[in-house]
Amino acid sequence: MKVCKFGGTSVATADQIRKVVDIVTSDIGRKIIVVSAPGKRFSDDIKVTDLLIKLGEKALANEDTEVELNEVVNRFHGIANDLGLSNDIVETIKHDLKDRLSRHKEDSLLFMDTMKAAGEDNNAKMIAAYFQFIGVDAKYINPREGGLLVNNRPERVRALPQGDEKLAKLRDEQGIIVFPGFFGYTEDGTLRTFNRGGSDITGSIIAAAIKADLYENFTDVDSVFAANPTVIDNPVSIETMTYREMRELAYAGFSVFHDEALIPAFRKSIPVRIKNTNNPYAPGTLIVKERDYNEQQVIGIAADSGFTAIYVDKYLMNLEIGFGRRLLQILEEEEISYEHTPSGIDNLSIILRSRVLTKEKEERIIERIHKELEPDAVIVEHDYSMIVLVGEGMQYTTGLAGRAASAIARTGANIEMINQGSSEVSLVFGVKVQDETKTLKELYKEFFVKSYAH
Amino acid sequence: MKVCKFGGTSVATADQIRKVVDIVTSDIGRKIIVVSAPGKRFSDDIKVTDLLIKLGEKALANEDTEVELNEVVNRFHGIANDLGLSNDIVETIKHDLKDRLSRHKEDSLLFMDTMKAAGEDNNAKMIAAYFQFIGVDAKYINPREGGLLVNNRPERVRALPQGDEKLAKLRDEQGIIVFPGFFGYTEDGTLRTFNRGGSDITGSIIAAAIKADLYENFTDVDSVFAANPTVIDNPVSIETMTYREMRELAYAGFSVFHDEALIPAFRKSIPVRIKNTNNPYAPGTLIVKERDYNEQQVIGIAADSGFTAIYVDKYLMNLEIGFGRRLLQILEEEEISYEHTPSGIDNLSIILRSRVLTKEKEERIIERIHKELEPDAVIVEHDYSMIVLVGEGMQYTTGLAGRAASAIARTGANIEMINQGSSEVSLVFGVKVQDETKTLKELYKEFFVKSYAH
């Protein structure tokens, strides 16, 4: 049994939904499908979820919502029309949206969750209606009824394993199940959404709960590429990679598949395949627990900008038990998550995403470090990029670090930071943001262009 | 004005002390000399400090101390005899030792401090007596009288700046001052010793307080070498290096000059010169604040074994604010200091010196990590060596990391860890202990053997 998730562009128009139906009906194993809200139909289009956010905000501000409500309804109306569905489904959707708008607004976050989830929820209803319309046995199942249980606020939203038993029963349902992605319900029936891209998470949770043979994630690219195709011309496709490799690549700029979505599949060892709705016969990229790393030691290279380094220097720092802990505690108290802490003998750099810092927080952190840790120097540098070389073969292959560092040197870029811990599948280089593109290009040549000789 | 410190082997015999006197009297600037306790006269010899520790331990155990006391007295007696000094100084030393043995023993640590300090203290008295004996204006000054003030227990011992004003008056003394290294006194007159090698610290504190033109540190090697001479045949001498470079090298196995001893000199920018008592006209190694790093980007390569890596892996670790802090807190609560924390995306390695772990502590730490942090995996690996490439030029020179990593790859050794933060003067590689020697040799060839082509 397979769980198939279809992303926003795969369900943005009637034509796309017909492709989805073709894909699902072409394989009897494709039993449960998880759908996103209608995404962009063309590059300047607005996603339904974004329309819903606008609508919700208007409602929260007690302003008139007629225009915004109509925009959402019209998007569904257009698709339903093109699919040849009767007006019933449009009325159902309109009624559902009005009902959501009439809910309590005291807790604005929960209200917005309810509004945002309307895209997936109503799209699932509409797609189920279309399956039935063309004579396929299918039904919409709401996450509450299905068993997608999530934790209570204010904790970060995540699925609770207590829901798994109920979800597992989806196996026994007759026909095709159309399940909306992106949200679940707490024990007391409160709707909470996952992070954006959360339909990937829903699919993964269900695939894990029903112990699917495969979780197929349909999107709009043929596969995951070894490097960003907007920087590298025609990068090679990744045929097979491990969960860890996908995670490391996703972390550093690969946006094909949502980070968090891998966890449930990873925990139950459910293979994941990334496929293209518009080219369903392409093999796509398979994500599994283990692969033969001898074939391809380095599987991909990711690059991401927007990092800041806080460099702290204090003579004999490492004789002070607790120095590092106190430094990290300051960050924790300022609710800052960080990425790396490379260190020398008497110095420590904290690498973090610049977006987690405000000017005010940055100044307060620097002041606290000066006051509480009495360092010899604190230097903040913005505009770092991290280049991450990923591959299960890395820890078993000598010479990769040398090849990588030499490739970077050939570009004339200076390596600001190197980080490789024990038993790792990645090697992280920090460079100045202006050196990011040339570094990525040269590393790609070094590890993926067979004919490249230097 | 110069402060000269003479290490244990420089003051181990009458012949050596005569060399010291020649060195001091050959330069009118050499005004203050700091002396160690008599060290080894030959490789199997026992240092006087070690004899004093045995003596102190016997006394603490309430056992008879006659044999051990005589051993110490005889060492001084032999030197005094060879120097042609009268028995008065031997009687003074004997009396002093008996007085120390009669002190309160409730606080065994303080009692041992008093015993250990007797080597430097009495040697200073004896050397001052010898200066006077040959007609040179010189006097012994006790650290209490001189102003070498230290903090109270239980804090780690360190000099207090409140003593500096008094120490600075040593400038105005007539003749040569012979000052014992290794210990100071708290405000209420309690004697506390520095760490072993602490005479270097005393010299540095005095040099900083009197604002010396130069702090000369006389030992038994011609200079600091670019790599360990017991591994590398005839390594090149380092002519000039910075405090930071010395510190990084000292950290990872270079034992020529004591780590902590650099701090006072560094803070006041007092140049330090390492010289050889047995070859005083050799230029030695000069340690300064800044050097022209274009001449020699890499100044030295240190290697040290005895490291352990604790590797912790948890999916989406870096989304958990406080994960790293809680991990370090466990170490802190177990009073463990660590060296590096290289990290990947979802994993963190803690590199520490194996000697700070007992089997029991290690087990407790692993158990606590499992319980408190719920990681996916915790792996402990012993027998790591750290190879540290040091040089002020490193951060300004592209390609060094690549050359280093490629050199290591040529040996067939796998790089277990790489660590280079921003604005650093060092690049740290972790290798398995069995790969340490070949790695050091190949790196030495790469960076110091001009004719080496590969």
Side-chain angles (χ1 to χ4, degrees), chain A residues 127-141:
Chain A
I127 291 169
Y130 181 64
F131 271 108
Q132 293 155 6
F133 174 71
I134 60 165
V136 178
D137 182 12
K139 68 171 156 191
Y140 156 82
I141 288 187

Side-chain angles (χ1 to χ4, degrees), chain A residues 156 243-244 246-248 251-252 259-263 266-267 309-311 313-326 328-329 331-332 335-349 351 353 376 379 381 384 388 394-403 405-406 408-409 412-429, chain B residues 156 195 243-244 247-248 251-252 259-263 266-267 309-311 313-326 328-329 331-332 335-349 351 353 376 379 381 384 388 394-403 405-406 408-409 412-429:
Chain A
R156 211 182 123 72
Y243 299 114
R244 295 207 301 171
M246 179 73 244
R247 161 71 179 136
E248 305 254 341
Y251 164 82
D259 269 24
E260 255 184 280
L262 270 176
I263 306 181
F266 161 76
R267 295 243 157 95
I310 301 175
Y311 167 86
D313 182 294
K314 184 175 187 180
Y315 203 80
L316 294 187
M317 169 192 287
N318 71 333
L319 292 180
E320 285 185 46
I321 287 184
F323 188 93
R325 193 272 304 158
R326 282 181 288 151
L328 297 188
Q329 181 124 30
L331 293 183
E332 186 179 349
E335 293 184 317
I336 297 285
S337 67
Y338 63 92
E339 310 296 320
H340 302 284
T341 55
S343 55
I345 309 306
D346 287 329
N347 50 61
L348 188 67
S349 298
I351 312 290
R353 297 212 184 244
D376 294 330
I379 299 163
E381 290 194 72
Y384 275 114
V388 187
M394 294 196 54
Q395 53 178 311
Y396 307 105
T397 316
T398 60
L400 290 181
R403 283 172 62 195
S406 299
I408 297 174
N414 195 31
I415 299 171
E416 305 288 328
M417 185 207 102
I418 310 180
N419 204 335
Q420 184 210 314
S422 45
S423 309
E424 284 187 19
V425 297
S426 66
L427 179 57
V428 182
F429 292 96
Chain B
R156 211 182 123 72
N195 290 325
Y243 300 112
R244 294 207 300 173
R247 160 70 179 138
E248 305 254 342
Y251 163 83
D259 270 23
E260 256 185 279
L262 270 176
I263 306 181
F266 161 75
R267 295 242 158 97
I310 302 175
Y311 168 86
D313 183 293
K314 184 174 186 180
Y315 203 79
L316 294 188
M317 170 192 288
N318 70 336
L319 291 180
E320 284 186 46
I321 287 184
F323 188 93
R325 194 271 306 158
R326 282 181 288 152
L328 298 188
Q329 182 124 29
L331 293 183
E332 187 179 347
E335 291 184 320
I336 296 284
S337 66
Y338 63 92
E339 309 296 321
H340 301 285
T341 54
S343 55
I345 308 306
D346 286 329
N347 51 61
L348 188 67
S349 298
I351 311 289
R353 296 211 184 246
D376 295 330
I379 300 163
E381 290 193 72
Y384 274 114
V388 187
M394 295 194 55
Q395 53 178 312
Y396 306 105
T397 315
T398 58
L400 290 180
R403 282 173 62 196
S406 299
I408 296 174
N414 194 30
I415 299 172
E416 305 287 329
M417 184 206 101
I418 310 180
N419 204 335
Q420 184 209 316
S422 46
S423 309
E424 282 187 20
V425 297
S426 66
L427 180 57
V428 182
F429 291 97

Side-chain angles (χ1 to χ4, degrees), chain B residues 45-331:
Chain B
D45 199 14
I46 301 173
K47 295 176 183 182
V48 164
T49 305
D50 289 321
L51 295 177
L52 286 163
I53 289 171
K54 260 206 324 202
L55 172 59
E57 283 168 351
K58 278 263 174 177
L60 275 180
N62 264 321
E63 293 175 32
D64 186 76
T65 57
E66 202 186 328
V67 175
E68 287 75 18
L69 176 61
N70 277 337
E71 262 196 285
V72 178
V73 173
N74 285 344
R75 275 290 274 280
F76 283 107
H77 197 167
I79 300 170
N81 223 25
D82 290 349
L83 288 172
L85 295 176
S86 76
N87 244 341
D88 291 0
I89 186 69
V90 181
E91 283 307 312
T92 303
I93 292 171
K94 196 170 184 176
H95 182 266
D96 172 84
L97 289 167
K98 283 187 168 164
D99 176 53
R100 289 176 199 253
L101 285 168
S102 70
R103 305 277 176 87
H104 284 303
K105 298 178 187 61
E106 287 78 42
D107 188 329
S108 60
L109 275 176
L110 288 181
F111 175 74
M112 286 304 288
D113 275 2
T114 300
M115 291 308 298
K116 285 189 285 180
E120 277 73 8
D121 205 14
N122 287 303
N123 210 22
K125 289 178 206 162
M126 185 172 70
I127 291 168
Y130 181 64
F131 270 108
Q132 292 155 6
F133 174 70
I134 60 164
V136 177
D137 182 12
K139 69 171 157 191
Y140 156 81
I141 288 187
N142 178 276
R144 186 165 192 190
E145 177 194 349
L148 210 165
L149 199 68
V150 298
N151 59 340
N152 287 308
R153 281 228 288 159
E155 252 187 285
R156 211 182 123 72
V157 61
R158 63 185 166 80
L160 295 176
Q162 298 91 299
D164 283 0
E165 207 179 320
K166 197 168 176 189
L167 278 173
K169 297 212 171 95
L170 293 177
R171 282 193 85 97
D172 309 325
E173 295 280 343
Q174 288 297 310
I176 288 161
I177 294 160
V178 186
F179 201 103
F182 190 38
F183 67 99
Y185 289 88
T186 65
E187 197 108 39
D188 67 1
T190 304
L191 184 156
R192 292 189 74 188
T193 60
F194 295 116
N195 290 325
R196 296 258 347 216
S199 293
D200 287 348
I201 301 178
T202 302
S204 186
I205 291 164
I206 297 175
I210 71 158
K211 300 196 171 56
D213 303 312
L214 183 64
Y215 171 29
E216 291 179 312
N217 198 287
F218 283 86
T219 172
D220 51 8
V221 292
D222 274 356
S223 66
V224 180
F225 297 108
N228 186 346
T230 66
V231 179
I232 306 295
D233 290 335
N234 297 312
V236 300
S237 291
I238 299 174
E239 285 173 30
T240 305
M241 66 170 134
T242 65
Y243 300 112
R244 294 207 300 173
E245 288 172 333
M246 179 74 245
R247 160 70 179 138
E248 305 254 342
L249 289 171
Y251 163 83
F254 275 47
S255 58
V256 173
F257 191 62
H258 194 286
D259 270 23
E260 256 185 279
L262 270 176
I263 306 181
F266 161 75
R267 295 242 158 97
K268 292 274 157 63
S269 300
I270 312 291
V272 179
R273 193 180 283 279
I274 310 288
K275 283 180 83 77
N276 190 350
T277 302
N278 305 311
N279 186 15
Y281 295 103
T285 297
L286 185 65
I287 308 172
V288 289
K289 205 177 184 91
E290 283 173 1
R291 71 172 178 92
D292 180 2
Y293 53 77
N294 288 313
E295 282 178 17
Q296 182 79 45
Q297 283 119 4
V298 176
I299 200 88
I301 310 169
D304 207 2
S305 57
F307 288 88
T308 292
I310 302 175
Y311 168 86
V312 183
D313 183 293
K314 184 174 186 180
Y315 203 79
L316 294 188
M317 170 192 288
N318 70 336
L319 291 180
E320 284 186 46
I321 287 184
F323 188 93
R325 194 271 306 158
R326 282 181 288 152
L327 182 56
L328 298 188
Q329 182 124 29
I330 292 174
L331 293 183

Side-chain angles (χ1 to χ4, degrees), chain A residues 114 124 314 327 371:
Chain A
T114 300
K314 184 175 187 180
L327 183 55
K371 210 167 132 191

